[in-house]
Each structure stands twice: as C-alpha cells, then as structure tokens.
Amino acid sequence: MPRLRDVWPHDTKFQKRCFELLRAAYVKARYSRHYRITDEELAYLTERIEVLRQVVVDASEKRIAELRKAVDQA
C-alpha cells in the first residue's frame, strides 16, 4: 500500500515547495492578502490530493473488508 511519503514526494524543490504551500495554505490563504500560488503549483497539488484520496479509499475498503471477515468468522 502506498505510504504518505509516496503521495507527497520531496525529491525536487518544486515538490517540497508545493507540500509547504499546502501545509501553510490553511492559515495563510485565509488571513493574508499576499498569499500566492501559481497555476502550476495548484495543478500539482490537485493531482496529489486525488492520489491521497485514492490511498484513503483503498485503505478504508481494505479495513472494512477485514472487519466484515472478522464478524462473519465470529
């Protein structure tokens, strides 16, 4: 199963910057008129968030299947 490190690689300066933008966006984008993000950065983050969503869906479905199996065996 992919780990969060696979979803948010830090191999390049661009990837590191995008991750930091996302981390800071929650506060800075709301409170600072000077917060900026490029179209390229936003597109990259959107792609990464979709990968993260799929990782969460896959992990959740796997865990639900395990719980169902445990209930059926009980």
Side-chain angles (χ1 to χ4, degrees):
M1 178 170 85
R3 310 289 292 170
L4 288 180
R5 192 75 163 141
D6 298 330
V7 174
W8 299 108
H10 286 68
D11 300 330
T12 67
K13 284 185 178 184
F14 179 79
Q15 291 170 335
K16 290 176 189 176
R17 174 170 163 66
C18 286
F19 179 77
E20 290 304 321
L21 281 169
L22 186 62
R23 273 184 8 127
Y26 180 73
V27 174
K28 291 181 180 179
R30 290 187 299 161
Y31 298 115
S32 174
R33 288 186 277 163
H34 305 291
Y35 181 81
R36 298 287 182 263
I37 187 168
T38 67
D39 290 342
E40 180 183 16
E41 291 162 342
L42 185 59
Y44 174 81
L45 289 172
T46 300
E47 173 190 309
R48 299 285 69 198
I49 290 168
E50 179 55 31
V51 171
L52 178 60
R53 186 195 70 76
Q54 192 59 54
V55 167
V56 170
V57 166
D58 293 346
S60 298
E61 288 174 350
K62 180 181 176 187
R63 180 65 178 142
I64 289 168
E66 290 169 355
L67 292 170
R68 284 189 177 133
K69 184 177 179 180
V71 167
D72 291 344
Q73 291 176 351

